[in-house]
């Protein structure tokens, strides 16, 4: 087949690849593949390397002396009733900790599922922009995850802005940018758009960060495409095998999907972001799609802030119910300003109206993994830990020496936060 014949059949210019011997190698009769120029040797090596790094990162690490603990390991086999497209195996490490940081390790256990479907492979990443028009850090991590799949990456940045499309074209490892035709971020618009793109351009994988926006449209797109989405992926074993936490992070499941199209949300703290400025993708028009009726996009008001984005900040200072009221959060903002950090909160602080719910960290809030996490007046409920336990260094300030947060902390300060926090801020000033 000539290249021009291929181009007319494949809107992204994706041409059949030589047989690679992989599970996802095209078979005759499949009707959308990628060309050697789309997936060159470098991309393959990069994807393999980043998968290896990812797997190493998720292997249980030897404990340091100051974090020694008694660990009792128990493998749990759970047979769950699952939808036909998905097989799950779960293994958990149950640990008894001796006032040291909890080790949320996992053992890899690949499910004995049937052969994956053989389908042409290319990945659509659905992304977001920040208030100032940059590609969101979580989207750069989603592209990082897509690279691990090893297929050519197309990026669709939602929001329909020229600036967003231009920024998307510069993202490293992106071969094509699908120009978003609509400013609407409503799931009623986005889900049909993604479904139409998958059906028309024959994507085998769709990857998006597990953000509130993406969690809204992705299940609808899955329903339109009649596939099972796999959410909150923290590692990619293979193009059809994904690792995700369950039971608020207390167990880790390996999910093998037999669906022809894999729809994934990824935990952005688990994947390294790609560079935002060294790419040179070409632009492609999105296929026509029709929004489902019911709601109408009118406008959006975005709060602009000079502070780092909570999900991407290197330092997070989080306050809980112990802060007593919203005004007292000024103590945390003062400290955060000293260290170029973001401010977060527990759900109890959000529910009490101290701060907005965009600051909530935890199982039902944002997942963060900064270099430094400072928990102020937070008890350490399991649902809160689910959102911050992967932070590199955890410091806790609590007046109750028995607060569970100290079990996951590298450093603990027992005392009154209203005394300790201003003192800390003052000392950093010097
Ligand atoms: C389905 C479900 C989902 C949930 N999702 C989330 C979630 O996403 N995120 C989340 O955070 N929670 C979540 N929760 C709620 C969670 O269970 C806890 O209720 C919540 O995390 C408690 O918040 P807290 O630690 O701020 O409050 P508390 O548990 O009340 O702790 C307050 C702490 O402040 C300390 N303190 C008080 N005064 C001072 C002082 N002057 N100086 C120093 N320390 C002081 C106290 O000793 C105490 O340890 C969820 C719960 C459920 C059931």
């Amino acid at each position: 087949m000539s290249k021009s014949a291929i181009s007319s059949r494949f809107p992204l210019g994706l041409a059949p690849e030589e047989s690679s011997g992989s599970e996802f190698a095209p078979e005759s009769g499949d009707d959308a593949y990628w060309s050697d120029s789309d997936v060159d040797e470098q991309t393959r090596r990069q994807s393999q390397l980043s998968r290896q790094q990812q797997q190493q990162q998720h292997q249980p690490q030897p404990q340091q002396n100051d974090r020694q603990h008694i660990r009792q390991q128990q493998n749990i086999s759970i047979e769950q009733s699952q939808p036909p497209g998905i097989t799950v195996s779960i293994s958990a490490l149950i640990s008894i900790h001796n006032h040291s940081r909890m080790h949320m390790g996992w053992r890899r256990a690949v499910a004995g599922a049937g052969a994956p479907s053989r389908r042409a492979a290319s990945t659509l990443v659905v992304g977001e922009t920040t208030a100032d028009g940059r590609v969101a850090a979580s989207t750069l991590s989603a592209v990082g995850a897509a690279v691990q799949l090893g297929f050519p990456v197309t990026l669709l940045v939602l929001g329909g802005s020229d600036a967003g499309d231009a920024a998307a074209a510069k993202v490293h490892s992106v071969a094509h940018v699908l120009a978003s035709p609509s400013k609407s971020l409503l799931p009623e618009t986005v889900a049909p758009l993604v479904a139409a793109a998958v059906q028309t351009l024959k994507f085998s994988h769709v990857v998006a960060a597990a953000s509130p926006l993406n969690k809204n449209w992705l299940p609808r797109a899955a329903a339109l495409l009649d596939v099972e989405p796999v959410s909150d992926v923290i590692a990619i074993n293979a193009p059809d095998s994904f690792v995700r936490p369950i039971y608020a992070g207390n167990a880790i499941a390996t999910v093998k999907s037999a669906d022809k199209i894999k729809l994934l949300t990824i935990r952005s703290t688990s994947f390294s972001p790609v560079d935002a400025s060294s790419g040179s993708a070409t632009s492609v028009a999105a296929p026509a799609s029709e929004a489902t009726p019911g709601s109408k996009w009118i406008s959006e008001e975005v709060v602009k802030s000079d502070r780092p984005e909570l999900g991407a900040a290197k330092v997070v200072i989080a306050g809980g119910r112990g802060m007593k009221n919203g005004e007292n959060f000024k103590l945390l903002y003062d400290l955060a300003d000293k260290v170029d950090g973001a401010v977060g909160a527990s759900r109890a602080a959000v529910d009490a109206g101290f701060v907005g719910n965009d600051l909530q960290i935890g199982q039902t809030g944002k997942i963060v993994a900064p270099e430094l996490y400072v928990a102020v007046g937070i008890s350490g409920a399991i649902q809160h830990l689910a959102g911050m336990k992967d932070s590199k260094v955890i410091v806790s300030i609590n007046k109750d020496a028995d607060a569970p947060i100290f079990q996951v902390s590298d450093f603990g300060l027992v005392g009154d936060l209203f005394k300790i926090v201003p003192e800390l801020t003052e000392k950093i000033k010097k």
Side-chain angles (χ1 to χ4, degrees):
M1 188 185 295
S2 72
K3 182 76 182 176
S4 59
I6 291 162
S7 301
S8 62
R9 277 185 57 207
F10 307 108
L12 296 185
L14 307 180
E17 200 210 23
E18 300 290 323
S19 172
S20 68
S22 95
E23 290 173 322
F24 275 72
E27 64 183 3
S28 62
D30 276 347
D31 56 359
Y33 305 123
W34 63 98
S35 70
D36 284 345
S37 59
D38 281 309
V39 187
D40 56 17
E41 193 52 34
Q42 196 184 353
T43 309
R44 278 182 222 285
R45 277 207 300 273
Q46 188 182 350
S47 126
Q48 194 182 16
L49 186 69
S50 60
R51 263 209 300 269
Q52 278 166 358
Q53 284 169 345
Q54 198 72 36
Q55 283 170 2
Q56 276 165 9
Q57 189 187 332
H58 287 277
Q59 297 298 331
Q61 299 297 314
Q63 299 295 298
Q64 292 164 8
N65 286 343
D66 60 346
R67 289 183 185 172
Q68 273 173 359
H69 62 202
I70 308 159
R71 195 169 69 197
Q72 187 183 47
Q73 183 174 322
Q74 202 174 63
N75 290 327
I76 306 174
S77 261
I78 303 174
E79 292 221 348
Q80 290 190 325
S81 160
Q82 290 295 327
I86 284 185
T87 324
V88 176
S89 73
I90 300 167
S91 78
L93 291 177
I94 296 188
S95 303
I96 301 169
H97 298 272
N98 187 11
H99 260 267
S100 64
R101 183 162 174 181
M102 195 180 295
H103 178 69
M104 301 279 192
W106 61 274
R107 288 183 66 235
R108 189 177 151 192
V110 179
S117 81
R118 285 164 62 82
R119 181 187 166 84
S122 58
T123 303
L124 174 66
V125 175
V126 183
E128 301 165 51
T129 48
T130 57
D132 57 0
R134 284 175 296 119
V135 175
S138 59
T139 300
L140 300 175
S141 294
V143 174
V147 167
Q148 291 192 18
L149 293 166
F151 309 127
V153 177
T154 297
L155 178 57
L156 163 66
V157 173
L158 299 175
S161 80
D162 291 344
D165 290 344
K170 292 194 186 122
V171 174
H172 192 264
S173 304
V174 173
H176 306 281
V177 168
L178 210 56
S180 175
S182 166
K183 288 200 180 316
S184 171
L185 299 176
L186 287 173
E188 290 89 340
T189 311
V190 177
L193 169 64
V194 172
V198 167
Q199 278 158 345
T200 313
L201 304 171
K202 309 286 182 198
F203 292 106
S204 58
H205 292 72
V206 177
V207 179
S211 67
L213 174 70
N214 294 333
K215 285 179 192 170
N216 209 356
W217 62 260
L218 193 125
R220 296 166 193 246
L224 290 173
L225 293 165
D226 197 20
V227 298
E228 311 288 342
V230 182
S231 60
D232 224 8
V233 169
I234 57 168
I236 293 170
N237 290 339
D240 61 350
S241 175
F242 313 102
V243 180
R244 63 185 296 268
I246 53 174
Y247 304 124
N250 285 317
I252 301 293
T254 297
V255 178
K256 188 152 178 137
S257 167
D259 275 327
K260 278 196 161 185
I261 301 155
K262 324 281 190 238
L263 252 68
L264 316 175
T265 59
I266 59 102
R267 193 174 274 195
S268 48
T269 51
S270 297
F271 295 91
S272 303
V274 295
D275 185 67
S277 58
S278 55
S280 55
T282 54
S283 184
V284 180
S289 64
E290 224 169 88
T292 46
S295 20
K296 197 174 153 202
W297 179 260
I298 297 181
S299 66
E300 69 172 340
E301 280 173 37
V302 182
V303 181
K304 288 194 180 174
S305 166
D306 292 339
R307 295 176 193 282
E309 199 191 324
L310 185 54
K314 287 197 164 57
V315 179
V316 172
I317 316 286
R321 204 193 319 253
M323 295 303 298
K324 309 273 190 269
N325 58 47
E327 286 79 60
N328 289 337
F329 264 72
K330 181 171 183 314
L331 294 175
L332 305 190
Y333 281 112
D334 289 345
L335 178 56
D337 285 345
K338 290 277 143 48
V339 290
D340 196 22
V343 170
S346 72
R347 176 160 155 183
V350 170
D351 287 352
F354 299 172
V355 288
N357 65 358
D358 54 325
L359 295 196
Q360 185 177 319
I361 291 166
Q363 187 186 334
T364 43
K366 291 188 173 139
I367 310 282
V368 299
E371 301 289 323
L372 174 64
Y373 188 89
V374 185
V376 185
I378 292 177
S379 61
I382 187 74
Q383 295 90 354
H384 186 77
L385 303 187
M388 45 63 79
K389 68 180 170 47
D390 290 331
S391 305
K392 306 287 176 300
V393 175
I394 298 174
V395 175
S396 299
I397 302 169
N398 200 303
K399 66 178 183 187
D400 175 6
D402 292 327
I405 192 77
F406 288 124
Q407 292 177 15
V408 300
S409 300
D410 298 275
F411 301 95
L413 286 163
V414 179
D416 186 352
L417 71 90
F418 295 105
K419 223 174 138 243
I420 294 172
V421 175
E423 231 175 276
L424 208 59
T425 310
E426 188 60 30
K427 290 235 160 75
I428 290 172
K429 210 188 272 180
K430 282 179 186 166

